[in-house]
Amino acid sequence: MPVHILALVGSLRSGSHNRQLAEAAVKHAPEGVTVTLYEGLAEVPFYNEDIDTDEQRPAAATRLRETAARADAFLLVTPEHNGTIPAVLKNAIDWLSRPLGSGALAGSPTAVVGTAFGQYGGVWAHDDARKSAGIAGATILKDAKLAIPGSVTRFAETHPADDTEAVAQLVQVLSALAAATKVPAS
């Protein structure tokens, strides 16, 4: 049975380099690993405990939770917005943290990767994503990380899936996630 990793991307822009990095993860997943890029984070409303009831929970939030519940691990792919994690990714973490203590993130191996224009590749946002997901109950793989600086120039003419160095580093992160799951890789 393959290890199933769910990739959540913190950028909604269709041409985002972070989305492309997630596409590279899908394309280059190691043998025995399947990466699924979640579509639909833009439709998930901001978390509000008042609507997080069986009677009122939005369908988009239910779909996110159901999809996440089937994942063995999570890959959070995030740019840096004003020095921190984008709201759309933070919102997904909030929805997946509930019910408190038993949400889809609870105990799930999770790694954070991404690219940004700046010289550090978005590390502030990556640190905030690790912090938030960890508080939500995820098992953060602290050594499985990838921050690619200079995205605008580095990926101006090359998709991350065609960048040998980026792919090699991404495969290392995916392999670490797979090894951290309780699912034996096939």
Side-chain angles (χ1 to χ4, degrees):
M1 174 171 1
V3 172
H4 179 234
I5 298 172
L6 184 62
L8 302 175
V9 180
S11 177
L12 299 177
R13 192 170 60 83
S14 62
S16 157
H17 294 122
N18 283 283
R19 180 177 178 81
Q20 292 175 357
L21 191 61
E23 291 168 354
V26 171
K27 181 177 181 180
H28 294 288
E31 187 173 339
V33 176
T34 300
V35 178
T36 301
L37 175 55
Y38 187 81
E39 302 288 356
L41 287 184
E43 286 78 41
V44 180
F46 282 114
Y47 185 80
N48 175 346
E49 197 169 1
D50 290 343
I51 62 171
D52 191 8
T53 66
D54 290 340
E55 298 80 27
Q56 295 185 52
R57 188 173 303 109
T62 298
R63 185 173 150 283
L64 172 63
R65 282 185 176 162
E66 289 172 350
T67 302
R70 294 188 296 271
D72 300 309
F74 293 89
L75 181 68
L76 307 181
V77 187
T78 186
E80 190 169 270
H81 288 183
N82 298 314
T84 192
I85 182 174
V88 69
L89 186 57
K90 175 63 169 76
N91 188 49
I93 292 168
D94 290 346
W95 277 102
L96 296 177
S97 72
R98 302 295 181 141
L100 192 58
S102 63
L105 286 175
S108 296
T110 302
V112 179
V113 301
T115 185
F117 178 66
Q119 65 181 339
Y120 301 111
V123 294
W124 290 347
H126 301 180
D127 288 346
D128 287 349
R130 284 184 199 90
K131 176 183 174 186
S132 183
I135 290 170
T139 301
I140 303 299
L141 303 188
K142 292 180 179 24
D143 293 330
K145 52 176 98 171
L146 174 59
I148 303 172
S151 61
V152 173
T153 53
R154 181 166 182 170
F155 301 125
E157 297 180 19
T158 303
H159 191 287
D162 299 323
D163 182 310
T164 307
E165 180 185 10
V167 168
Q169 294 172 326
L170 190 55
V171 168
Q172 287 179 336
V173 170
L174 296 173
S175 295
L177 274 171
T181 69
K182 295 178 174 82
V183 178
S186 56

